[in-house]
Amino acid sequence: MRTIWKGSISFGLVTIPVKVVSATENHSVSFRQIHTADEGKIRYRKVCEIDGEEVSGDQIGKAYETGDGSLVQLTDDDLAALPLPTARTVEILGFVPVDSIDPYQLDRSYYLTADAGAAKPYVLLREALRRAGRGAIAKLAMRGRENLALVRALDDEDVLGMHTLLWPDEIRSAAGLAPTEQVSVRDAELDLAYTLMDTLGAVDMTELHDEYREAVEALVSAKLAGTAPDLSAVGAPEGGKVVDLMSALEDSVRSARESRGETAEDEEGREATVHPIKKSAEKRTAKKTPAKKTARKAQSKKAAAGKAEGGKAEGGKAEGGKGTAKKSAAKKTPAKKTAGRKRAS
């Protein structure tokens, strides 16, 4: 791999000569602009806006434009002579946990390879970073600017990796981008969304590839061969706007299972269902209590009514008994009086 920068890592009093090589490459599809009549390539010519003449690469230099529009020419020698400690040095500033770096701050990725005679300090720094589980925050001047960088030990390779980082003031604030509408998400919707995540499962990054680039290459090959491109693998675009979120989630779960060759049963052979969040015992008790109270009240009313009817019946008998006694006493009284009169005479 081609070396794009040479310098050294400054680790305290330890200096580690290194070379920087690119860890990534761009495979995206690129197109040329052409004249459709004769397929002539459209080129951009570098023309001086003062005399209108085309300028070659060796006649083009750098200039810094000030706020009032003035231009100040700067040569490569001027920039190389700047008193920067990071001009040829990866200056380590400190160490942080690797997972504490915001992914939005990552810019480009490189490998740091040891230069001649630097194997011992290189391995020492690599193993120290790996054992600590940390990365080194550093600065270096590369490609015409000073860069913030993260140096770390790669997990599966015995190589130091370096990621250039955006400066904190280069990351825009996300304020005002969140939805402003008041939205409530039900527990059942969360449960179904989690089921969809669990159904889709993990992703093997090594199996991913650029399908767009492959489709374009197949289209170009078909045109060169004078045949019609094969569009059988192209799916029809889905139309319509989904209104029912629950239905959309359920359809997504079903589609994900079908794409993975799974049935509606899980690994244990039982039907895979979405279980909503269980309601607390207090809520269930609160719902059942009124019904119990109503039943108890009804029973109490029936018992009271029964007692009242029994009391009336007993009262009627008692009143009937008293009436008979009175009548008997009334009948016996004249007989006693007659007997008394006879005895007196």
Side-chain angles (χ1 to χ4, degrees), residues 107-236:
D107 189 14
R108 294 177 178 270
S109 299
Y110 302 92
Y111 294 130
L112 294 178
T113 179
D115 209 344
K120 178 72 174 181
Y122 180 92
V123 173
L124 174 64
L125 176 60
R126 185 192 67 200
E127 294 306 311
L129 292 174
R130 179 169 293 164
R131 176 180 293 184
R134 297 183 180 183
I137 298 299
K139 291 198 304 182
L140 76 155
M142 183 175 65
R143 290 184 167 177
R145 56 171 294 181
E146 188 173 51
N147 298 272
L148 194 63
L150 169 69
V151 178
R152 67 183 183 94
L154 301 184
D155 296 332
D156 302 328
E157 303 287 347
D158 291 333
V159 178
L160 285 173
M162 184 179 73
H163 310 274
T164 55
L165 306 174
L166 298 176
W167 295 94
D169 59 355
E170 291 180 321
I171 301 177
R172 296 176 177 176
S173 172
L177 299 179
T180 57
E181 297 86 353
Q182 295 294 329
V183 178
S184 60
V185 180
R186 294 181 295 163
D187 290 338
E189 294 170 340
L190 286 174
D191 291 336
L192 199 51
Y194 180 80
T195 302
L196 175 58
M197 293 168 58
D198 191 49
T199 303
L200 291 175
V203 176
D204 186 358
M205 300 294 289
T206 60
E207 296 182 354
L208 302 180
H209 53 91
D210 188 350
E211 296 181 4
Y212 178 78
R213 176 171 59 89
E214 293 176 356
V216 171
E217 291 174 350
L219 175 62
V220 171
S221 300
K223 284 185 172 290
L224 289 175
T227 60
D230 182 14
L231 303 178
S232 59
V234 180

